[in-house]
Amino acid sequence: PSYHDAHYNKALVLDDLGLVSEALESFQLAEEYATLQKDLSSSAMYCCSSGLLLASEQRYDQALSAYDRAIHLEGPGIDAMDAMDARINRGELLCELRRFPEAIQSHNEALDALDSKHSKDSKKSKDSLRCGILYNLAYTYAVQGDKESCEETLNRALTVDRAQVLAILLNFQGEASLLSQRREEEMAFLKQLQDGSKVKGLLVEVVKQLRTLEENPRWILERLLDSAQSESAATAYGTTWLESWWHLADEAKLYADEASSQASSQASMVVFGSSLGWQCFLGHLHLGYASCVGYEILKSQVDESQRLAEHFGLQNAISFRCQDALTAE
């Protein structure tokens, strides 16, 4: 009992091995022993871990109960932030179960907990969490079909920390400041290529337009609404980092005159899940493919991609189709 963290670590290993029942038993022991020792912060973390595992096994009622146990531990003896993961995960799960009023309430309770007198985290840490919760709340409204509330909530998140919202959207693993640094490094890399005459001027403008679009609140809202109403779960957004793309193209010999048996003037490229069209634009302008076709399930992305292609006069070489990649013709 004195080593509740050992039971927790054992549970993590058992989970990795696919021994779900044994892992849940170890999580339960860790929770019980931590509570007995009045280590409520650890107990809340163990409850949350149990909830995540139960949710992954589609044992939703038990998962919600685990999250509730963590939340009910809050009080003078525990930092409100220790149960924050449980609050956030609870709201996300309720949204997934389409229990929207409860999900909205859970998200709002998480926002209230950020301002609790029992919370000692820094303002920066709280703002980062606040953006994530507001984004989840906006998504819940989007799934519910409430565009007005979705837009209002998204704007609240953008007001708190625009860069953090962008990091969430781009699935960027790291702080918003690191994302800004990555963007600056990309622009420096692009300028270096341009100065060395290794890139067409049009590509520079396309990259700048795509990056600007990713930060446009209207586009963020439309994508959020579109993905929330999609029947497919495969709608996570992923950007393309130019420097990584450049090195990959060089190492893997992706250029049209190297990868295709056809002459580069006839070689074509197909992208499944083209999103905003990054790889199609780069395929034509950088790799030299005569034509590129992108398939994307979200209409909002196809519309913007096609608009950019027409804006730059590339519509004869680059085109986009709103189709599921699994059923595309």
Side-chain angles (χ1 to χ4, degrees), residues 2 28 34 48 85 152 192 200 294 299 302 310:
S2 299
Q28 183 176 355
C48 191
D85 283 345
E152 179 185 355
Q192 180 183 0
K200 297 178 182 178
K299 185 176 184 300
V302 173
E310 293 171 3

Side-chain angles (χ1 to χ4, degrees), residues 39-272:
D39 185 351
L40 301 185
S41 294
S42 293
S43 184
M45 180 177 70
Y46 303 155
C47 289
C48 191
S49 297
S50 293
L52 285 171
L53 181 53
L54 287 163
S56 71
E57 293 294 307
Q58 300 184 348
R59 294 160 64 174
Y60 300 126
D61 287 340
Q62 289 174 280
L64 290 171
S65 294
Y67 296 144
D68 285 338
R69 290 199 305 274
I71 293 168
H72 291 155
L73 290 170
E74 288 184 354
I78 181 174
D79 191 317
M81 302 302 287
D82 290 323
M84 187 56 65
D85 283 345
R87 289 190 180 279
I88 293 171
N89 293 336
R90 184 177 185 275
E92 291 178 350
L93 179 55
L94 287 167
C95 178
E96 184 179 339
L97 296 174
R98 305 189 74 80
R99 291 162 58 175
F100 300 124
E102 294 172 88
I104 291 168
Q105 180 181 349
S106 189
H107 290 317
N108 282 322
E109 288 175 354
L111 290 170
D112 291 340
L114 282 175
D115 299 320
S116 167
K117 63 181 180 181
H118 303 305
S119 174
K120 301 174 183 177
D121 274 41
S122 67
K123 182 180 183 303
K124 180 179 179 182
S125 176
K126 287 183 180 181
D127 283 349
S128 178
L129 279 170
R130 196 183 310 278
C131 278
I133 297 168
L134 286 169
Y135 191 87
N136 289 340
L137 179 56
Y139 181 79
T140 302
Y141 283 127
V143 177
Q144 197 176 14
D146 187 346
K147 181 177 180 178
E148 183 178 347
S149 296
C150 175
E151 183 173 10
E152 179 185 355
T153 306
L154 180 60
N155 286 335
R156 287 171 61 193
L158 290 166
T159 300
V160 173
D161 191 337
R162 189 187 192 91
Q164 183 61 37
V165 173
L166 187 59
I168 295 170
L169 172 70
L170 299 181
N171 294 296
F172 185 78
Q173 300 299 311
E175 296 182 1
S177 59
L178 295 177
L179 175 62
S180 299
Q181 180 181 336
R182 184 69 181 271
R183 286 285 185 84
E184 292 174 2
E185 291 172 350
E186 181 179 66
M187 287 298 105
F189 176 74
L190 191 58
K191 186 177 186 305
Q192 180 183 0
L193 293 174
Q194 190 176 17
D195 291 344
S197 299
K198 295 182 179 180
V199 61
K200 297 178 182 178
L202 186 56
L203 178 56
V204 176
E205 294 306 312
V206 168
V207 170
K208 289 180 179 179
Q209 284 287 327
L210 286 169
R211 289 290 180 231
T212 299
L213 184 56
E214 287 177 339
E215 297 183 15
N216 188 316
R218 180 189 60 79
W219 174 77
I220 296 174
L221 174 64
E222 291 302 321
R223 191 188 190 287
L224 190 61
L225 291 166
D226 204 1
S227 60
Q229 296 300 318
S230 173
E231 296 180 359
S232 172
T235 58
Y237 181 75
T239 193
T240 297
W241 293 104
L242 188 62
E243 186 171 1
S244 299
W245 164 276
W246 211 274
H247 293 316
L248 175 64
D250 287 344
E251 294 295 326
K253 300 185 183 303
L254 298 179
Y255 295 93
D257 56 0
E258 296 176 314
S260 175
S261 58
Q262 296 178 302
S264 58
S265 60
Q266 298 177 326
S268 60
M269 176 178 171
V270 176
V271 177
F272 293 111

